[in-house]
Amino acid sequence: MTIPYPEHIAMVVTTFFTVVIAVMLHYEALWLISRQIDKSRRPHRQRILGMAFGVLMTHIVEIWLFGITGWCLTDQLGIGALYGYESFNVLDFIFFSAVTYTTVGYGDIYAVGPVRFLYGTLALTGFVLITWSASFTFIEMQKHWRVGR
């Protein structure tokens, strides 16, 4: 059995911590949104719209978290790379993170090297967090939706 290269170990550890941060962020954001909806005296529409924008902003922050992590690992540390264009900037990494997070997968950009582990795990993490948000939204809508308002 061969011992993985140090960059593989660094990738697994970095991916683990990035996923933990994203999941904890998601939990805390949904908890905060739920409490705000329950405590709010604002009109119904404002509460529901606040919930929707809060959930969307949470996903955007998580996409940026993974995008910046991927950029740091590849562009700054040289652990893997993205291919598909001649040069990449940090916003290309954010775009690739969004496409992977949402499991759209256009295919115009692809990862090579150890960084593939981060992006493969990102697809699963994004899928889980999006479905978690959908369940949360459904439950909150059932609790707070008022017919005729």
Side-chain angles (χ1 to χ4, degrees):
M1 179 171 147
T2 58
I3 297 173
Y5 296 104
E7 59 265 11
H8 290 104
I9 294 169
M11 186 59 58
V12 170
V13 170
T14 302
T15 299
F16 173 78
F17 283 112
T18 306
V19 168
V20 167
I21 291 168
V23 170
M24 295 301 296
L25 170 69
H26 205 80
Y27 173 84
E28 294 298 331
L30 294 184
W31 180 81
L32 182 63
I33 292 167
S34 180
R35 286 189 43 109
Q36 289 301 317
I37 290 172
D38 290 342
K39 292 184 343 181
S40 178
R41 298 291 175 231
R42 293 186 177 269
H44 177 259
R45 287 188 173 140
Q46 288 179 9
R47 286 183 281 148
I48 298 301
L49 287 171
M51 175 193 60
F53 284 117
V55 169
L56 284 171
M57 290 308 298
T58 302
H59 287 291
I60 290 168
V61 169
E62 292 157 359
I63 287 168
W64 275 73
L65 170 67
F66 277 97
I68 291 171
T69 301
W71 174 75
C72 287
L73 289 168
T74 58
D75 200 53
Q76 304 301 305
L77 299 176
I79 303 176
L82 293 185
Y83 285 121
Y85 299 120
E86 283 199 24
S87 65
F88 289 93
N89 61 41
V90 70
L91 290 178
D92 295 316
F93 284 87
I94 303 301
F95 167 77
F96 185 60
S97 177
V99 168
T100 306
Y101 184 95
T102 58
T103 68
V104 172
Y106 291 132
D108 57 339
I109 301 173
Y110 59 96
V112 295
V115 77
R116 291 178 303 162
F117 183 75
L118 173 73
Y119 289 111
T121 306
L122 170 58
L124 175 63
T125 305
F127 179 74
V128 168
L129 296 181
I130 290 169
T131 55
W132 185 3
S133 292
S135 298
F136 170 79
T137 302
F138 177 77
I139 290 166
E140 290 297 322
M141 294 290 284
Q142 279 190 324
K143 282 185 355 187
H144 299 284
W145 192 261
R146 295 185 186 137
V147 178
R149 289 191 184 195

